[in-house]
């Protein structure tokens, strides 16, 4: 088994950074819950902290819905980014694909969360 290349480490780092930076504001966009950018409060203004429904499903069920969604979105991002790197040997393109994958993967997991009634 060979050790990861510098390009692979770069792609993984960029993808994980994008997940950390963009997932919480995506939650706010998907569920209209008040989650926002890290520097403007992140989940501090989420409706899960207000009494009564509606509650953000990812924040209200963090151990289930939030964790599964985060891992699923991150896995999709990493898979497509690393496959792009393998096929093209272009780390810039692979990073772009990985970051861009957050939106469709996020939409899928938000839809799945709603479908499951969480």
């Amino acid at each position: 088994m060979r050790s990861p290349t510098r390009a692979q480490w770069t792609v993984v780092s960029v993808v994980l950074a994008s997940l950390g930076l963009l997932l919480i504001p995506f939650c706010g966009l998907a569920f209209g819950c008040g989650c926002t950018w890290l520097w403007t409060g992140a989940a501090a203004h989420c409706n899960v902290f207000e009494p009564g429904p509606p509650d953000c499903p990812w924040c209200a069920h963090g151990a289930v819905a939030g964790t599964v969604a985060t891992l699923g979105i991150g896995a999709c991002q990493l898979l497509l980014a690393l496959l792009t790197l393998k096929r093209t040997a272009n780390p810039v393109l692979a990073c772009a694909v990985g970051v861009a994958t957050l939106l469709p993967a996020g939409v899928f997991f938000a839809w799945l969360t709603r479908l499951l009634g969480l």
Side-chain angles (χ1 to χ4, degrees):
M1 183 171 176
R2 15 174 253 196
S3 51
T5 66
R6 176 175 283 188
Q8 289 169 325
W9 279 116
T10 300
V11 169
V12 168
S13 298
V14 168
V15 167
L16 292 179
S18 74
L19 180 65
L21 182 66
L22 300 173
L23 185 64
I24 295 173
F26 176 80
C27 176
L29 178 69
F31 300 112
C33 60
C35 290
T36 187
W37 299 103
L38 296 174
W39 52 89
T40 58
H45 304 290
C46 182
N47 64 11
V48 75
F49 299 114
E50 297 171 9
D55 284 337
C56 169
W58 287 355
C59 294
H61 305 288
V64 179
T67 302
V68 169
T70 300
L71 293 174
I73 293 166
C76 290
Q77 287 183 277
L78 287 170
L79 177 67
L80 289 177
L82 292 172
L83 283 174
T84 301
L85 180 64
K86 184 177 181 178
R87 299 274 186 210
T88 68
N90 184 336
V92 174
L93 178 61
C95 288
V97 167
V99 172
T101 300
L102 187 137
L103 184 60
V107 168
F108 172 76
F109 280 95
W111 170 80
L112 187 61
T113 300
R114 289 292 189 200
L115 182 69
L116 295 174
L118 297 175

